[in-house]
Amino acid sequence: MITLYGDVTKTRANRCSWMLKEIGIDYVNEPLAFRPGAEKPAAFLALNPNGKCPTLQDGDLVLYESLAINLYLAKRYGGALGPQSPEEEALMMQWSFWVATEVEKPLLLTAAIRHLFEPKQPADEELAIAMKRLSRPFSALEQHLQDRDFILGDRFTAADLNVAAVMHFIPIAEIDVSTFTAMKRWLETCLDRPAAIDVQSVNFRVPTPKSSRDIFAMFV
Ligand SMILES: N[C@@H](CCC(=O)N[C@@H](CS)C(=O)NCC(=O)O)C(=O)O
């Protein structure tokens, strides 16, 4: 039996919940409703000394890092969601590392600034830097999607899921991506999938209410 640790409504465990729902396998969810800075359960720290969610246990395997968990699940159980060749696997890793290193931090920072900070607190400089950092990766994805429906071509895969699961913060960060038409269309297609809609988080679609500051405190 697979166990997914982490609150799928408030943490990056929502990404792995999306993948598990796409695959359609049974799993147990342990929400672990700890708050940032709070003492973590000793049994959880024994599994993952890094102390973060999500963490996945599948038999003797314990894994952390949401996007790595998804690559494992897709390859092991995901059929067409996973790689069908070493080349596809390499591309899935490339896009997953890309979104984690080039997009996630400035995007979450923008979302946090726009939803966490008091309106009077100036953060213009941080916002400008974050937006500048995002412009090149957004352009790269836009260009890549000019002649394909999905990141690897004509089917939805773990690469799309991992990238879209990070990019779903775009509306929450209030970033206007109307000029990135291919990227926007692709993101909407990914987030309209039944498994994405079914994830009990911000449902990837519904911008988190500004009052839900604690949600962002868990993400950033
Ligand atoms: N890069 C990691 C980030 C994991 C992470 O920061 N998780 C947050 C929840 S979204 C967490 O566990 N926060 C609690 C803490 O840092 O103590 C991943 O993608 O899994």
Side-chain angles (χ1 to χ4, degrees):
M1 178 55 83
I2 291 175
T3 305
L4 174 65
Y5 295 87
D7 185 337
V8 298
T9 70
K10 291 191 184 68
T11 74
R12 290 172 177 86
N14 62 5
R15 301 168 179 180
C16 304
S17 166
W18 180 6
M19 177 59 85
L20 286 159
K21 284 172 193 288
E22 288 282 354
I23 294 169
I25 40 177
D26 287 339
Y27 68 99
V28 174
N29 180 229
E30 295 284 349
L32 283 181
F34 56 74
R35 282 278 173 265
E39 192 82 4
K40 315 252 162 75
F44 177 65
L45 286 176
L47 270 184
N48 178 0
N50 201 36
K52 295 210 169 187
C53 293
T55 298
L56 185 100
Q57 186 162 28
D58 184 11
D60 290 337
L61 177 71
V62 176
L63 262 186
Y64 50 87
E65 283 302 323
S66 56
L67 305 184
I69 291 170
N70 282 350
L71 291 172
Y72 162 73
L73 289 170
K75 182 170 180 179
R76 175 119 196 220
Y77 303 109
L81 284 171
Q84 310 297 303
S85 67
E87 289 81 2
E88 283 200 355
E89 184 166 22
L91 287 169
M92 287 182 193
M93 288 194 281
Q94 175 202 286
W95 284 100
S96 300
F97 292 172
W98 171 84
V99 81
T101 56
E102 305 284 319
V103 177
E104 182 166 25
K105 196 170 171 188
L107 182 54
L108 283 187
L109 184 67
T110 306
I113 287 172
R114 294 212 159 119
H115 281 265
L116 271 178
F117 291 4
E118 293 303 328
K120 283 191 195 117
Q121 187 169 341
D124 294 351
E125 204 178 321
E126 287 95 328
L127 271 178
I129 292 169
M131 292 305 295
K132 199 164 169 224
R133 290 220 171 114
L134 287 170
S135 102
R136 193 194 294 192
F138 281 6
S139 299
L141 183 58
E142 174 69 16
Q143 195 181 328
H144 183 76
L145 291 169
Q146 287 303 308
D147 51 1
R148 358 176 128 68
D149 289 335
F150 295 104
I151 287 177
L152 261 63
D154 59 6
R155 74 180 205 282
F156 177 85
T157 68
D160 299 288
L161 194 156
N162 276 353
V163 175
V166 173
M167 293 250 182
H168 90 279
F169 276 105
I170 287 172
I172 300 165
E174 296 168 9
I175 298 173
D176 177 9
V177 288
S178 55
T179 55
F180 298 96
T181 50
M183 183 179 91
K184 194 163 174 287
R185 179 230 353 112
W186 161 84
L187 186 58
E188 280 167 8
T189 304
C190 294
L191 300 183
D192 274 346
R193 294 176 67 83
I197 291 168
D198 199 31
V199 175
Q200 291 178 8
S201 93
V202 281
N203 278 337
F204 292 115
R205 263 306 206 178
V206 185
T208 313
K210 286 193 191 240
S211 57
S212 300
R213 294 171 180 212
D214 57 329
I215 290 182
F216 278 106
M218 293 294 285
F219 271 97
V220 293

